Amino acid sequence: MVPCPTNVGRVPYQRIRTEAKTISIDYSAAAWPIRDDFAAAHARFWQRLAKAGSWWTAAERIAIAREVRDSPSCSLCVERKRALSPNSVSGEHRRATNLPRAAIEVIHRVTTDPGRLTRAWFDGVIGSELSVEQYVEIIGTLVAIKSIDSFCRAVGLPLNRLPDAEDGVPSGYRPNAAKLEDAWVPMIPADANTGAESDLWTIGRTGNVIRAMSLVPDEVRTLGDLGAAHYLPNAMVMDPTAHSPHLDRQQMELIAARVSALNQCFY
Amino acid sequence: MLRASVMIEGNEVNMHAINDGEGARGISGGDLLIKFAEAVVGEDDAVLARRRSDVVEELGPRAMVDAAGVASNFERMVRIADATGIPLGAGLETYSAEVRTALDLERFNMGKS
């Protein structure tokens, strides 16, 4: 177990093995049998987290993950969460990293109080410190960490130690087809995922929640990979008879709906 | 999808359990799964441990692990939807209109745009 000094988690970290830059995550010590596909999908994301992305370096991506873990103990976030309106509370976030101020605001708000984000808030954080491409990669990284950490906590496992950053520079890749429609962020139209993006979804058949991350195509790939283990492969989601190995679909959707309601999500 | 899966099973369930946090007795282990989901979203580890044990006892450890997977998946999906300002889209808007009205889900969308 290797506790990280910036961690504020209540449990020590799960041990991970790093060999020749391949990362494996092992849940075999859990008190219950954990399906192998959970550990495999989590390890694939950890592997990706250790490398430069499209708009952030590996060190910055890992810093995003640290902020996700640290934000629940930020006193500004705690106060804002309690307030009738988050805008009524001002102050400085308790930061765990040297990420730009706008990035810290995004990570803390989306992690701790996602149900009250507004267009005005989004417009306020995008600017000279943070591009919309960087924003989308932050969201993709944040939600992957949130779901993996949430899973570990839910089954009583310690959190996985964050990987060490590998060298490399962000690719700066932006898909040509991405354009602004009626979401806050540009997205690839449902029928325009051709060429390098042809694997993201079956052309013409996807939901906005999948397209939402498509300004950074690797975030869509991670979304599908983690979703296949945690929930269902994207192609099976709209089939109401599809279900996980040990729950029926009604049980799954009841959990999904309750989590969404608690997070005040309209979607 | 909850409504669709319930209809396919020929079952009846109180959809208001989604908002109320109880009354999901039409689904096997429904109330325990709701309490487990609430504990996953919540911050109290002791409560989570109790809810986890309840699910293990009633539905078995493998079902509890799958439930943890689903709950943690939607901790992710809600943040994507909320942070990107996506609209429902025409298909989903039509498909979910009845349930959205019954559960007053638009209250979560007020003042966002």
Side-chain angles (χ1 to χ4, degrees), chain A residues 89-100:
Chain A
V89 182
S90 57
E92 292 289 321
H93 289 290
R94 194 194 82 170
R95 55 168 60 225
T97 68
N98 291 322
L99 289 168

Side-chain angles (χ1 to χ4, degrees), chain A residues 205-244:
Chain A
R205 296 181 60 190
T206 190
N208 284 348
V209 77
I210 306 297
R211 293 201 299 129
M213 294 284 94
S214 60
L215 189 59
V216 182
D218 279 346
E219 300 306 338
V220 179
R221 296 183 179 103
T222 289
L223 181 66
D225 193 34
L226 288 175
H230 283 239
Y231 180 55
L232 289 168
N234 282 339
M236 296 170 68
V237 168
M238 293 309 288
D239 173 2
T241 66
H243 60 87
S244 73

Side-chain angles (χ1 to χ4, degrees), chain A residues 10-11 32-35 38 72 110-122 135 139 142-144 146-148 150-156 182-185 187 208-210 212-213 222-224 226-227 230-231 237-241 244-267, chain B residues 1-6 8-9 11-14 17-22 24 26-31 33-34 36-45 48 52-53 56 59 61-89 92 95 100 105-109 111-113:
Chain A
R10 291 147 288 194
V11 288
W32 346 89
I34 309 280
R35 292 182 354 236
F38 279 112
V110 177
T111 302
T112 63
D113 197 9
R116 298 192 293 177
L117 302 177
T118 63
R119 178 65 196 245
W121 170 84
F122 172 79
Y135 177 88
I139 302 303
L142 180 162
V143 297
K146 178 68 183 172
S147 65
I148 292 170
S150 180
F151 174 82
C152 289
R153 178 173 171 265
V155 299
D182 42 7
W184 300 345
V185 299
M187 308 191 294
N208 284 348
V209 77
I210 306 297
M213 294 284 94
T222 289
L223 181 66
L226 288 175
H230 283 239
Y231 180 55
V237 168
M238 293 309 288
D239 173 2
T241 66
S244 73
H246 307 291
L247 290 177
D248 67 34
R249 190 61 180 272
Q250 300 170 84
Q251 294 169 315
M252 295 173 70
E253 296 304 327
L254 185 66
I255 295 164
R258 187 61 183 146
V259 170
S260 300
L262 289 167
N263 279 293
Q264 301 179 21
C265 182
F266 81 99
Y267 194 84
Chain B
M1 291 308 294
L2 175 59
R3 188 182 62 157
S5 58
V6 165
I8 279 182
E9 294 295 324
N11 204 348
E12 284 187 20
V13 67
N14 171 21
I18 294 164
N19 282 343
D20 301 342
E22 57 188 7
I27 295 175
S28 174
D31 280 346
L33 290 171
I34 279 185
F36 181 59
E38 290 170 351
V40 172
V41 175
E43 296 175 353
D44 190 324
D45 287 346
L48 176 58
R52 184 192 303 130
S53 294
V56 168
L59 300 173
R62 287 182 167 82
M64 182 278 293
V65 171
D66 280 15
V70 175
S72 54
N73 189 67
F74 281 82
E75 284 278 65
R76 185 166 59 114
M77 302 308 278
V78 296
R79 285 173 171 78
I80 294 173
D82 285 334
T84 56
I86 50 170
L88 280 176
L92 188 54
Y95 184 70
R100 301 179 67 76
L105 297 186
E106 277 305 313
R107 72 190 191 279
F108 296 146
N109 200 25
K112 282 187 177 292
S113 55

